[in-house]
Amino acid sequence: MSSSNLTPDRVLIVDKRLAPANVEQFHFVQLTHPRTKQEQSYAVDHQSKTVFELVRSARSHSSWFINDQHVLPDGSLYIVTPINLIFLLLPTLWSHARKSFLSLKTIMTDSLQQLQLDDDVVIEKLRSICDINLDKHSIKLNEEKFIVWLRDRIDRLKKLVKDEEHAFDLICEYLTDDIVEYCQQELKLHGNVRYDIPIGTHYLLKKRGSIQTKAKINYSTNVTDLSVATIDHAKNVLFEHYANKIQANVPREFHQIQKKSNCIFAKRARCWTAPHWLGNISIDDNCERQLTSFIVFCAFVKDISIDGYVIEIPHNHATATIEDFGRIFKQILRFLSDHDPAKRHCMNVSPSRIGQNGWVFEFYRITFFITTFTPHYPETHPRYSHGFNNYCHILFQPELSFLRHNLPDDTPDTNWIEPITSRDKTRVAFRDHGREYPIRPTIYYPPSHDMIRPLSNDLADIVEWWL
C-alpha cells in the first residue's frame, strides 16, 4: 500500500500478528527467487527484522473498492508471508562458501543489500547453518548444521501437512536442484517439486547406445565453441530424425481423436506417439521399449515445438473396465518414475500423497498434465473417443506447452454467454456438443483426480488409480 496521501495501488493480506502496526513501515524490494531465479517481490519490517515474501494471486475481471473512496483496477491479492532469510542467502553460500570462508560483504550481494539489514542480524541468522569467523567477518557453510536445520524445518512442517514428503516438497520450493539432490541423499527423502526444464541430452547419449555411429564422437563442454544457431539446428535435425524413425508403423488412432475433439487446440497440437504397444510381452517390457523415446521427447521438448506424448494401449480383456485400465496406468507411471534420469522418482511416495494437492507427475525435471481417453466413456463424456475403440490413450502434456501457447490462467469462472478467452471458448464448445465437463469451484485440487475421469462425469466419483 502506498502512502496515506496517495491512491492505494495494491491490496495486501498479512497476518496482523506478524506485520507492523502500520503497514507503511514495510520496505518493498525486488530480489531473485532462490529457486526459480525470477524476480520476486519482498518486504522488510526493520523493527522486527523480518523479511516477507509477496505472492501475487491474480483474479480475472475483478477490481477493489477501497474505503468507499478509491477504485483499484487491479483485483489481485498480494499474500504476505514471512520467509527465513537463510533461503535467500543459501544459493550464494552453497555455490561459494562450502569449501572456504567467504566475507559477509560478498555474501550480501548488491541485490540483497536492498534489504538494509544490519550485519549483526544476518550473522545471527546464519549461525544455525554456518561457521562464523567474527574477527574476519567471514562465513562458511557447515553442511552438518544445515542438514540439522533442514530436518528441524521438515519436522515442524509435517505437523501441519499429511506426511514428511509433503513437508519436504514445500521446503524444496525454495531450494535449487543441486541442494535438493544433496538433501534427498542425506535425509533419504524424495520430493516432487516443479523444476526447470533440462537442456542437455547426455543421459540419452549414454542410454544403451541409443545413438549409434562408427565415428568417434568428440564432446565439447565449452558452449562458446558452437553458435546458438548451430546448436538449435542440431537439436531439430536430431529430434526430427529420431521422431521419423520411431514414429514409423505406429497406430494413429489418437490423431483421429484429435481431429474430432471439441478442444480448440487439439486439432493443431503436435503430439508424438510412443512405439507400438506389443500384446505378447509384459507391461514393464513395453515400458522398457518406450523409455528411450520418452527420454528423447523430454530432452527436446523445451526447444522443439511439440505439445504431447501419447501412449496407445490396445483395448482388450486387460482393459475391460476403467479400473483395469487404471492398474495399467499406475504401472506405467511407476516404471517411468523408477527410471527417471533426474532421479526424482515422483511415484516413490505414499499412495495417499499422490491423491493430495501438491503432487504432480514429473520426469526428467519436467512436470506433466496427464489426461486419458478410452473406449469406456460414453458419447456424452468429455473423454469420449469418438468411436475409435481399438486403443486406450494416455496423453502426457508438458506444462511448459501451456506457457508456450500463452494459455490463460486456470479459473473456475466461465463466460458462457460471450466467451472471450480460449479457455471459455473450449468449455462452451464441449457444452454445445453435449459433452460439458464439470468445473470445480476452485483451481486448487489434486491433479491425480483428473488423470482418469469417472465414467459418471461426476467429480465426486474419484477413480483412485493410485491405491
Side-chain angles (χ1 to χ4, degrees):
M1 190 75 73
S2 58
S3 173
S4 58
N5 296 325
L6 301 176
T7 301
D9 55 16
R10 70 185 67 180
V11 173
L12 308 179
I13 294 182
V14 58
D15 190 332
K16 63 182 181 181
R17 295 170 298 179
L18 302 174
N22 184 355
V23 179
E24 294 179 9
Q25 292 179 216
F26 272 138
H27 170 59
F28 294 97
V29 298
Q30 289 286 116
L31 302 175
T32 300
H33 189 279
R35 183 180 73 83
T36 67
K37 308 305 180 187
Q38 301 297 315
E39 285 294 305
Q40 173 73 35
S41 296
Y42 296 89
V44 186
D45 174 18
H46 288 113
Q47 184 174 353
S48 65
K49 313 300 183 186
T50 304
V51 180
F52 295 85
E53 179 182 21
L54 276 69
V55 179
R56 180 174 178 263
S57 175
R59 305 191 300 173
S60 59
H61 311 299
S62 61
S63 302
W64 288 104
F65 291 93
I66 310 293
N67 298 331
D68 295 328
Q69 297 177 356
H70 306 289
V71 176
L72 180 59
D74 181 5
S76 302
L77 285 173
Y78 289 83
I79 303 170
V80 184
T81 56
I83 180 173
N84 196 309
L85 179 62
I86 286 177
F87 287 116
L88 301 180
L89 300 173
L90 194 54
T92 302
L93 293 169
W94 191 263
S95 299
H96 304 292
R98 291 177 68 189
K99 303 300 182 183
S100 59
F101 280 86
L102 197 67
S103 68
L104 183 61
K105 183 179 180 180
T106 303
I107 293 172
M108 293 298 292
T109 61
D110 292 341
S111 177
L112 290 172
Q113 290 287 354
Q114 297 179 77
L115 295 173
Q116 299 177 6
L117 294 173
D118 295 337
D119 289 355
D120 292 344
V121 173
V122 178
I123 289 175
E124 188 60 34
K125 180 64 69 174
L126 289 178
R127 284 187 185 279
S128 55
I129 66 165
C130 293
D131 297 327
I132 312 293
N133 186 327
L134 292 177
D135 294 335
K136 296 184 178 180
H137 230 49
S138 57
I139 293 168
K140 177 184 176 184
L141 180 66
N142 184 313
E143 294 177 8
E144 292 183 4
K145 285 186 177 182
F146 170 61
I147 289 298
V148 171
W149 176 83
L150 191 67
R151 167 54 69 186
D152 180 61
R153 305 296 104 177
I154 295 172
D155 290 343
R156 292 185 189 185
L157 268 177
K158 72 180 182 182
K159 297 176 183 178
L160 305 175
V161 296
K162 294 294 184 180
D163 53 40
E164 196 170 60
E165 285 84 3
H166 194 174
F168 184 55
D169 278 351
L170 294 174
I171 291 176
C172 286
E173 289 290 345
Y174 297 91
L175 304 178
T176 57
D177 285 359
D178 50 348
I179 300 178
V180 170
E181 291 179 3
Y182 174 80
C183 295
Q184 285 177 325
Q185 295 173 2
E186 293 296 316
L187 297 173
K188 304 297 187 293
L189 290 174
H190 293 287
N192 189 38
V193 183
R194 299 168 185 263
Y195 295 98
D196 295 332
I197 312 304
I199 59 174
T201 58
H202 59 281
Y203 183 90
L204 164 68
L205 296 173
K206 294 189 298 182
K207 180 65 176 179
R208 293 178 292 129
S210 301
I211 298 177
Q212 300 178 3
T213 176
K214 294 181 179 179
K216 182 179 179 181
I217 300 178
N218 294 316
Y219 297 95
S220 172
T221 58
N222 185 359
V223 295
T224 60
D225 291 347
L226 298 174
S227 69
V228 174
T230 299
I231 294 173
D232 288 343
H233 177 68
K235 287 179 179 178
N236 277 279
V237 170
L238 178 58
F239 181 83
E240 293 298 338
H241 171 77
Y242 194 90
N244 292 335
K245 180 178 179 181
I246 204 68
Q247 293 286 77
N249 301 320
V250 298
R252 290 292 190 274
E253 190 172 89
F254 184 77
H255 299 311
Q256 299 302 318
I257 296 175
Q258 276 185 266
K259 294 178 182 179
K260 292 181 175 292
S261 173
N262 303 126
C263 175
I264 65 175
F265 291 105
K267 294 177 178 62
R268 65 176 184 265
R270 187 184 180 200
C271 293
W272 193 13
T273 308
H276 183 49
W277 189 278
L278 301 179
N280 59 346
I281 62 176
S282 68
I283 295 174
D284 279 358
D285 286 344
N286 270 295
C287 290
E288 178 69 24
R289 291 183 69 245
Q290 299 179 4
L291 180 61
T292 300
S293 71
F294 193 52
I295 293 173
V296 172
F297 173 84
C298 294
F300 285 92
V301 73
K302 180 181 179 182
D303 304 298
I304 305 297
S305 181
I306 190 165
D307 302 305
Y309 182 92
V310 182
I311 296 178
E312 293 187 327
I313 304 169
H315 181 46
N316 51 36
H317 66 279
T319 59
T321 67
I322 199 72
E323 288 75 22
D324 292 333
F325 170 69
R327 284 187 282 272
I328 295 176
F329 175 77
K330 175 184 176 181
Q331 191 168 341
I332 292 172
L333 296 196
R334 169 68 68 180
F335 183 95
L336 293 175
S337 170
D338 289 345
H339 294 80
D340 180 5
K343 303 186 184 303
R344 303 301 185 196
H345 308 306
C346 67
M347 295 289 289
N348 287 4
V349 296
S350 62
S352 61
R353 175 73 181 95
I354 297 175
Q356 297 169 1
N357 284 344
W359 182 87
V360 64
F361 183 79
E362 174 195 344
F363 185 89
Y364 207 171
R365 297 179 182 170
I366 299 175
T367 53
F368 288 91
F369 178 79
I370 302 177
T371 50
T372 53
F373 304 86
T374 76
H376 304 95
Y377 295 108
E379 188 174 357
T380 55
H381 201 286
R383 298 286 177 86
Y384 176 53
S385 292
H386 296 275
F388 297 98
N389 298 326
N390 293 320
Y391 292 89
C392 300
H393 304 88
I394 304 174
L395 172 61
F396 294 80
Q397 294 176 268
E399 293 191 343
L400 64 90
S401 174
F402 300 117
L403 298 175
R404 180 183 292 135
H405 292 292
N406 197 28
L407 297 188
D409 293 336
D410 195 6
T411 172
D413 302 319
T414 305
N415 189 335
W416 296 104
I417 307 302
E418 297 181 356
I420 298 175
T421 68
S422 55
R423 192 177 297 280
D424 288 345
K425 293 175 182 178
T426 296
R427 291 174 177 176
V428 170
F430 272 92
R431 181 202 62 184
D432 291 348
H433 286 82
R435 302 186 184 94
E436 181 174 345
Y437 56 88
I439 301 170
R440 293 177 175 83
T442 175
I443 63 173
Y444 302 106
Y445 57 87
S448 56
H449 289 194
D450 274 357
M451 291 182 178
I452 301 179
R453 280 284 184 107
L455 298 181
S456 65
N457 207 22
D458 184 345
L459 294 177
D461 297 335
I462 301 171
V463 178
E464 297 178 314
W465 56 266
W466 55 88
L467 296 181

